[in-house]
Amino acid sequence: MNDVKIALAALALAISSPTFASDGKSPIIGAWRMTSLEVGAQGNLQAVPYSGQLVFTQGGTLSVQAMNPDANAADTPYTTKAYEAYYGPVEIDEAKNIFAITVESSLVRELIGTRLERKFEVAGDKLVISPVNAAEGWRVTYDRF
């Protein structure tokens, strides 16, 4: 009887949980090369020279790396010495076009343990990521490797 209860609880949890990247059906799964970063006030985004990549795995993780070519650029909440790198488990909600990563490791240690939610749009081999709160003022575009 306990086995049946455990199986039912596991099934209920699986049904009620957001879609995880490990389902392999999400078009966001794969490796992406950054093609543009835009920052600024809402409606007035300006291009910033950046390069980077991100990888969404079928195993349900996300890895992000990005760099400002200006080594003297001021640190941000996501960067140290113009470099950004973090990794962690990711949840993908296809219905809302939102993913959330819980940062497990990061160059900026203050990010560890933080849950970051992002909007995404995939059109063919293009991926656009933006903050859930548009007031944060940025948008990143990627091409599939």
Side-chain angles (χ1 to χ4, degrees):
M1 187 64 171
N2 274 347
D3 289 340
V4 172
K5 287 181 183 178
I6 291 171
L8 288 174
L11 180 60
L13 180 62
I15 291 171
S16 65
S17 295
T19 304
F20 286 88
S22 61
D23 70 4
K25 297 178 184 174
S26 176
I28 202 170
I29 301 299
W32 300 88
R33 180 182 58 83
M34 182 186 293
T35 56
S36 72
L37 169 64
E38 300 167 283
V39 299
Q42 196 172 357
N44 187 25
L45 297 175
Q46 302 295 315
V48 176
Y50 248 72
S51 64
Q53 72 174 25
L54 54 84
V55 178
F56 289 89
T57 70
Q58 286 195 20
T61 62
L62 171 59
S63 154
V64 177
Q65 294 187 58
M67 184 187 78
N68 185 328
D70 178 0
N72 296 317
D75 289 347
T76 73
Y78 302 100
T79 63
T80 297
K81 296 184 181 178
Y83 200 82
E84 175 177 352
Y86 57 89
Y87 162 87
V90 66
E91 301 170 13
I92 300 170
D93 185 331
E94 295 287 341
K96 294 180 180 176
N97 280 10
I98 292 176
F99 69 85
I101 178 174
T102 301
V103 179
E104 186 173 294
S105 65
S106 175
L107 182 63
V108 176
R109 295 191 177 267
E110 290 79 16
L111 285 177
I112 297 171
T114 303
R115 181 179 168 89
L116 304 172
E117 289 189 352
R118 306 293 188 231
K119 294 189 319 185
F120 72 91
E121 296 175 34
V122 177
D125 287 336
K126 291 265 185 225
L127 168 64
V128 177
I129 297 176
S130 57
V132 171
N133 178 359
E136 287 183 45
W138 58 267
R139 177 176 54 217
V140 187
T141 304
Y142 296 88
D143 284 343
R144 190 180 298 276
F145 274 109

